[in-house]
Amino acid sequence: TALNVETDTLPQIPPKKVPASTLVALLDAVSIRDRKIGELTAKVQVAKQRLAEREEHCRVIEEQVAQAVINSNHVDLDIEWHTQALQGAEKRNDELEASQRRLLAALDPFRRKALDAGAGDYASMLSARSTDISTAAGLSEDRFSTFAGWAPRTPRRHLLEPLAPTLT
């Protein structure tokens, strides 16, 4: 279709007669096409909605995983702290057991003497000799502050430092 330069209009094609059955068939085809377009549009909307729901669900799961990682790092840190505290307590227990053995060794000659003398004299002998035993074992009047460098500590005064997270 060429433009007519003089009138600036498209040339008019005369209308042709189309049989009614062809028009009905054409309208049916357009109707079917429109129905299919509507069905496909609805399916696209449902798919978009499902996709949005799945993306939201994935986002929630990712947040939960991130929180679980943070929580596991805290638990790891707690375990490490408690392990160090347990090791310190075991070391202190070993020191106390060694001290107890030293004290029992220092006490042993007096105990033998008391057993040889009879059970009644044992208590009086121990009370009379308690200063000698304390001095022999390295104890003084202020025995808690000088014994093996140990001083009573409350948890508030003797806390472990927090550990730096390790990169693994």
Side-chain angles (χ1 to χ4, degrees):
T1 60
L3 284 176
N4 188 345
V5 180
E6 295 174 7
T7 61
D8 267 346
T9 61
L10 292 175
Q12 296 293 325
I13 301 175
K16 292 184 182 179
K17 286 263 181 187
V18 179
S21 62
T22 306
L23 286 175
V24 170
L26 182 62
L27 287 175
D28 284 342
V30 169
S31 175
I32 290 171
R33 181 190 64 102
D34 288 345
R35 202 170 328 132
K36 284 184 180 180
I37 289 173
E39 289 173 0
L40 291 175
T41 302
K43 285 181 180 180
V44 166
Q45 290 301 323
V46 168
K48 283 181 179 179
Q49 179 64 30
R50 286 183 183 166
L51 182 62
E53 289 171 359
R54 286 182 183 168
E55 286 175 348
E56 176 64 20
H57 184 69
C58 287
R59 187 191 62 75
V60 168
I61 289 175
E62 287 172 352
E63 287 176 1
Q64 290 172 345
V65 167
Q67 189 62 40
V69 167
I70 290 170
N71 289 343
S72 72
N73 288 339
H74 285 289
V75 168
D76 289 344
L77 192 62
D78 287 345
I79 288 171
E80 192 170 338
W81 186 91
H82 286 285
T83 300
Q84 286 183 1
L86 179 61
Q87 289 169 348
E90 288 171 346
K91 180 180 177 187
R92 178 68 183 136
N93 183 51
D94 292 343
E95 292 170 357
L96 289 172
E97 286 177 351
S99 173
Q100 182 181 20
R101 284 190 295 274
R102 282 192 310 271
L103 289 172
L104 288 175
L107 182 64
D108 194 53
F110 300 107
R111 214 172 42 189
R112 282 192 197 140
K113 199 183 244 185
L115 289 175
D116 290 343
D121 294 342
Y122 182 67
S124 63
M125 184 181 293
L126 283 181
S127 64
R129 300 290 297 180
S130 66
T131 306
D132 295 338
I133 293 171
S134 298
T135 306
L139 298 175
S140 68
E141 288 301 313
D142 186 17
R143 60 185 183 267
F144 288 116
S145 63
T146 60
F147 180 67
W150 182 82
R153 294 182 182 101
T154 63
R156 285 173 268 129
R157 287 183 50 205
H158 188 66
L159 292 176
L160 293 177
E161 293 296 320
L163 300 172
T166 56
L167 299 175
T168 56

